[in-house]
Amino acid sequence: MRNYRIANIWGIPIQLNISLLIFLPVLVWLIAATGQIEVYASIIDGLSSAPLDAEGLQEGLNPWLIGTAAAVGLFFSVAVHELGHAYAARRYGIGIRSITLWIFGGLASLESMPREWDREFWIAIAGPVTSVLLAGVFFGALQVVPASLPLVVFVVGWLAVINVTLAIFNMLPAFPMDGGRILRALLARSRSYASATRTAARVGTIFALLFAIIGVLSWNPVLILIAFFVYGTATTESRTTMLDELLTGVTARDVMDTTVRSVSADTSVADFTDRLLRDRQTEFVVVDSTDDVVGFVTLSALKRIDRDIYETTSVREVMETDVPAVEPSTPAFDVLVAMRNGPLVLVVEGDEQIGTVSRRDLGRVMDLRKQLGAGQPFERVAM
């Protein structure tokens, strides 16, 4: 989904995902028209020095003004929560690519995830701590807002309460919430990072199941969506860590195919088909007349065109133009990440193309290390 940059803080792009723009009116409605104002008014009345008239808050356009201000304030609070993570990460020298606000809250995209348990612990807990501190700021403001501004009293009080709620909710031990990362960090003190991730992911799936059950019984669509999101994230986190473990210590040079199989961009698809059968390969680098790489072509590309035009269609017309390139020393896991948009990565040393890495190459290494044990050293074998 598309993101829109709305600000830059500490050099970090703050992005607004389109899903939030769609969800924001729903959130306004949930606050304004589902009885929440009356519920929270009684809580805020006990926190504020200024008495609140719950009936007055619900007259005319007041609920919609409150809902709009509260919804915007909530996502401001989420942004500050994510900035807390960013501040802690920077203290450890970890860069932040961006902070994205979306339907499920916020996401600080770190350039790398720390493997040291104490670093992950402090980065993860910095978000909830920031939310509690922000709640304290709103609580302090609540004491000085005059009773003549009841809408402001309510919104400020609501933000004080909701930031404490945000901190508590994020402490639940389920990925991608901070509590899941805190749990993994604590588990990693006495076991491997991969084992800690698997255990934390299992706990996350249990919480996802609980969210789903509660969401269905209370017919809460938002909670059901959160359940699916938590389950998917916990599963992805576990799988990603397993792949990272299997590829630890392996570089692009270790797994690359040193034969760069290339085909001219002007070759007909018919001739390319003969080449596929002859070489028994399914991925080729595409080069122009000066032997510069201009794309890659695979067997699957041929399935998108009619056989009747194989003779009159060139490889240039069916190739993919985005060919990621890596250095020989690039960790294999980073090669896998670079491969997300295609099946092939070019290995370049200086100006020379020295090999390629395909999903098949990485799959062979992962399968071998899985059978031997991921901790086994990897030695280069000619491919």
Side-chain angles (χ1 to χ4, degrees), residues 2 26 35 38 89 102 123 148 163 167-168 186 193 199 210 261 278 287 371 373 377:
R2 189 170 180 179
V26 177
E38 186 175 356
W102 67 312
I123 292 172
S148 58
N163 269 280
I168 294 172
L186 295 175
Y193 187 79
T199 301
L210 291 174
R261 294 176 178 81
R278 185 172 64 251
V287 296
Q371 294 182 50

Side-chain angles (χ1 to χ4, degrees), residues 153-367:
V153 171
F154 180 88
V155 172
V156 171
W158 187 86
L159 289 172
V161 173
I162 214 68
N163 269 280
V164 173
T165 305
L166 182 66
I168 294 172
F169 184 72
N170 266 281
M171 287 297 290
L172 292 176
F175 286 120
M177 290 180 286
D178 302 328
R181 303 195 181 281
I182 291 169
L183 175 62
R184 175 170 64 184
L186 295 175
L187 291 171
R189 295 181 67 181
S190 57
R191 62 178 75 181
S192 71
Y193 187 79
S195 174
T197 300
R198 284 192 292 270
T199 301
R202 289 191 195 103
V203 173
T205 57
I206 292 171
F207 271 93
L209 180 60
L210 291 174
F211 291 156
I213 292 171
I214 296 171
V216 169
L217 293 177
S218 61
W219 187 233
N220 187 327
V222 174
L223 202 54
I224 294 171
L225 285 174
I226 290 174
F228 280 110
F229 176 60
V230 169
Y231 178 80
T233 305
T235 304
T236 301
E237 188 84 25
S238 182
R239 185 183 299 117
T240 301
T241 302
M242 181 191 72
L243 294 176
D244 194 5
E245 184 183 45
L246 289 174
L247 294 173
T248 297
V250 183
T251 66
R253 188 187 297 276
D254 295 326
V255 297
M256 71 180 184
D257 186 342
T258 55
T259 302
V260 180
R261 294 176 178 81
S262 62
V263 60
S264 170
D266 298 321
T267 301
S268 70
V269 170
D271 289 341
F272 175 60
T273 303
D274 293 338
R275 178 78 182 277
L276 287 173
L277 294 171
R278 185 172 64 251
D279 291 0
R280 295 188 297 279
Q281 294 290 324
T282 57
E283 304 102 4
F284 283 79
V285 171
V286 182
V287 296
D288 60 15
S289 58
T290 60
D291 282 339
D292 288 333
V293 175
V294 293
F296 68 83
V297 63
T298 67
L299 174 62
S300 61
L302 306 187
K303 299 176 182 178
R304 298 194 294 268
I305 61 174
D306 196 312
R307 286 180 178 274
D308 295 338
I309 61 172
Y310 273 17
E311 291 286 353
T312 57
T313 305
S314 69
V315 167
R316 188 187 301 275
E317 296 173 74
V318 298
M319 71 180 185
E320 298 288 340
T321 57
D322 183 16
V323 186
V326 299
E327 297 179 351
S329 59
T330 302
F333 184 78
D334 292 343
V335 175
L336 181 61
V337 172
M339 204 180 288
R340 64 184 179 274
N341 294 326
L344 204 66
V345 170
L346 192 64
V347 184
V348 178
E349 191 167 36
D351 295 328
E352 184 183 358
Q353 301 151 15
I354 64 172
T356 59
V357 180
S358 67
R359 294 184 185 278
R360 183 175 58 254
D361 297 327
L362 291 172
R364 287 170 180 166
V365 172
M366 287 189 286
D367 185 57

